[in-house]
Amino acid sequence: MKLFRLFGAYFRTGLSLLSAYRLDFVFGRLRTMVVFFSVAWLWLTVFSGRTVPGYDTAAIFTYVLSGGLIYGLIFASSVERDVAEDISSGSLNSVLTRPLSYLWMRWSLFWPIRLIVVLMLPLQLLVIWLAMPDAPIRFPAELSSWLLFTISTVLSCTLFFLLEMFAGYMAFWLHRAYGARWMLHVFMVFGSGAFIPTSLLPPPVAKLAFMTPYPWLVYGPASMLATPAVAGWFLMPQIIWIVVII
């Protein structure tokens, strides 16, 4: 019960921090929408009337849409920057002397902004529909696909959190770990499948990518909606990586 009380307290703290920096949140959502429209129009222009291995036009656009929304949810805030700053500034010492878990504190602060992002999804979808009313979107009709997608998205957020904590902990050995954190962030963004399905990468690159946890951040949950017939087993790699990192 104490852990849940602490979660609630830090969750409310996270919400209050969001209310103090509302404009920063708004610009973050605008940046996400700009990235989505750029990628979506690129795919529609290049592959209009064509097919790519495993995807038709509707499937690829559904992937881009769901992947863009998942990307905006997962990368809504940076955990590793705050962790690295706590380590470098010495603020971590004051937390460790208290009877609470630093990991649990960061976990509690991780979710408030993502709750707000989820609540804003209807508005984002409305903007996308108004801007692209003829977009070839094909969502699955089966409730099971949506259930798997929801579970996969939660697992994806959890995996992202653990990877961010790992990147932040590198500040124990490197001063603020700017370079290492930047490299890991690049791998997460481009290896996650946020801009192109990981399965469409050149075979050697795709094979290497699937040996890492990064494709399961976006490619996994986005495939639950775009190609549900072949994505049902994607929960297993997410669970395995979460267990390995923990």
Side-chain angles (χ1 to χ4, degrees):
M1 291 298 296
K2 180 180 178 181
L3 285 178
F4 289 108
R5 287 197 299 270
L6 287 173
F7 181 89
Y10 281 115
F11 189 90
R12 291 190 294 272
T13 300
L15 289 177
S16 65
L17 290 174
L18 284 177
S19 65
Y21 298 98
R22 293 183 292 270
L23 193 60
D24 184 56
F25 176 80
V26 171
F27 277 111
R29 295 304 90 211
L30 289 175
R31 182 181 68 245
T32 300
M33 293 301 292
V34 169
V35 171
F36 165 75
F37 281 120
S38 300
V39 176
W41 277 317
L42 175 63
W43 276 103
L44 285 178
T45 300
V46 174
F47 292 98
S48 179
R50 306 178 186 176
T51 59
V52 291
Y55 297 87
D56 55 18
T57 303
I60 198 65
F61 190 84
T62 303
Y63 178 92
V64 171
L65 173 60
S66 53
L69 295 177
I70 295 167
Y71 171 82
L73 174 66
I74 295 175
F75 291 87
S77 64
S78 175
V79 179
E80 44 87 10
R81 180 185 59 205
D82 296 333
V83 173
E85 183 62 32
D86 285 345
I87 294 172
S88 300
S89 66
S91 301
L92 180 61
N93 296 333
S94 62
V95 178
L96 295 180
T97 57
R98 302 172 187 173
L100 57 89
S101 167
Y102 181 74
L103 183 66
W104 186 254
M105 182 191 77
R106 282 293 163 199
W107 175 250
S108 306
L109 293 172
F110 175 79
W111 287 104
I113 188 172
R114 284 156 183 86
L115 172 63
I116 303 301
V117 170
V118 170
L119 294 177
M120 288 189 65
L121 280 180
L123 178 59
Q124 290 180 274
L125 291 171
L126 176 61
V127 172
I128 293 171
W129 179 76
L130 291 174
M132 312 177 76
D134 299 323
I137 302 174
R138 185 180 62 219
F139 287 129
E142 298 82 7
L143 182 61
S144 59
S145 295
W146 288 96
L147 178 60
L148 288 174
F149 169 74
T150 302
I151 297 173
S152 181
T153 301
V154 173
L155 291 174
S156 179
C157 289
T158 304
L159 180 58
F160 174 79
F161 170 78
L162 294 173
L163 290 171
E164 286 274 286
M165 289 296 296
F166 174 77
Y169 285 153
M170 296 184 72
F172 278 118
W173 300 276
L174 304 168
H175 181 61
R176 287 187 166 83
Y178 287 124
R181 286 161 45 206
W182 181 82
M183 285 298 298
L184 286 174
H185 189 74
V186 168
F187 289 147
M188 279 196 287
V189 171
F190 291 99
S192 65
F195 304 122
I196 179 173
T198 309
S199 59
L200 297 184
L201 295 173
V205 178
K207 185 176 181 180
L208 181 62
F210 282 122
M211 296 173 63
T212 71
Y214 305 124
W216 313 114
L217 295 175
V218 176
Y219 174 77
S223 298
M224 298 285 183
L225 298 184
T227 55
V230 298
W233 64 275
F234 285 178
L235 292 179
M236 189 56 64
Q238 292 179 306
I239 296 173
I240 290 174
W241 276 110
I242 289 172
V243 172
V244 167
I245 296 175
I246 291 178

